[in-house]
Amino acid sequence: MKMRNKIWNIVKAFTILLLMTVLHSVQAQNEKVYKNVITIEPLALINNLSLSYERVLRKSFSAGINYKHYYYNSSADYLISGDQLAPFARYYFGESEWQGFYAELKGYAGSFKSNIYSESAFTAWGGGVCLGFQYAISNNRITFDCRAGVKYYPLPADATFEYGYNEWKYAFEPGCILDLHFNAGFRF
């Protein structure tokens, strides 16, 4: 129950930050260039809270960081909890500035607890590549971002799953080779 309260407090803080950003942007409507975006990954709320920040550095290049908090959920068999940081860099292809298809390089660092076979705590490091598409609506303020890729993010043997286990159920867990995301966000 305490973990659920922590998660809701994080969601509330993110919502307040988003509302403050919207109010600030209403005051600065003349500015058409938005160099920052904050996103949340709604589909991942099954087992984690994922928040990202991205900043435009050049016309076709941006960098950012993603924070994920994995929460333990024994009733749904999600048996890994912990925190992860993933810095990333993106190169956008095409004419449109900071929108459209992109390639992404990402690093991973996390500290986790696992209860798959036995209770254990561990840290993990890795990296990955993705291809994605970011689309903006509502005067380039609201963004939708889909990406897919692969990652190498090895976990200790006692924190991994045996073959035959329902891998799709764990597509949002750390250590999964697939890197699939759908984010919604706001530019400011």
Side-chain angles (χ1 to χ4, degrees), residues 20-181:
M20 287 173 49
T21 303
V22 169
L23 291 175
H24 176 335
S25 68
V26 168
Q27 294 173 353
Q29 284 248 286
N30 298 346
E31 187 179 335
K32 298 291 184 198
V33 178
Y34 309 110
K35 293 192 176 251
N36 305 288
V37 67
I38 295 176
T39 62
I40 189 166
E41 189 171 358
L43 298 177
L45 289 172
I46 297 167
N47 71 332
N48 71 68
L49 176 64
S50 177
L51 302 173
S52 292
Y53 170 76
E54 182 180 3
R55 169 99 177 147
V56 173
L57 301 176
R58 293 189 182 152
K59 181 180 179 184
S60 297
F61 184 73
S62 69
I65 191 156
N66 172 261
Y67 168 77
K68 281 191 180 185
H69 174 74
Y70 293 90
Y71 37 89
Y72 178 83
N73 186 347
S74 62
S75 63
D77 289 332
Y78 294 108
L79 305 176
I80 293 179
S81 63
D83 297 297
Q84 169 186 288
L85 286 176
F88 61 87
R90 291 181 178 171
Y91 179 79
Y92 288 86
F93 305 101
E95 300 297 319
S96 181
E97 186 173 326
W98 198 35
Q99 183 167 295
F101 287 101
Y102 63 84
E104 177 182 271
L105 290 174
K106 188 185 289 188
Y108 296 94
S111 176
F112 305 100
K113 291 181 184 173
S114 170
N115 195 18
I116 293 174
Y117 300 116
S118 64
E119 185 73 34
S120 64
F122 58 93
T123 58
W125 302 85
V129 295
C130 289
L131 292 175
F133 185 82
Q134 187 169 119
Y135 183 72
I137 61 171
S138 186
N139 294 327
N140 283 334
R141 300 308 295 268
I142 307 297
T143 65
F144 298 99
D145 186 358
C146 295
R147 65 188 176 281
V150 293
K151 62 183 175 184
Y152 178 72
Y153 196 25
L155 303 182
D158 63 346
T160 58
F161 311 105
E162 295 177 359
Y163 286 106
Y165 216 71
N166 186 354
E167 288 88 2
W168 286 107
K169 189 173 188 179
Y170 298 96
F172 295 107
E173 291 281 356
C176 179
I177 193 169
L178 298 175
D179 199 11
L180 307 171
H181 300 277

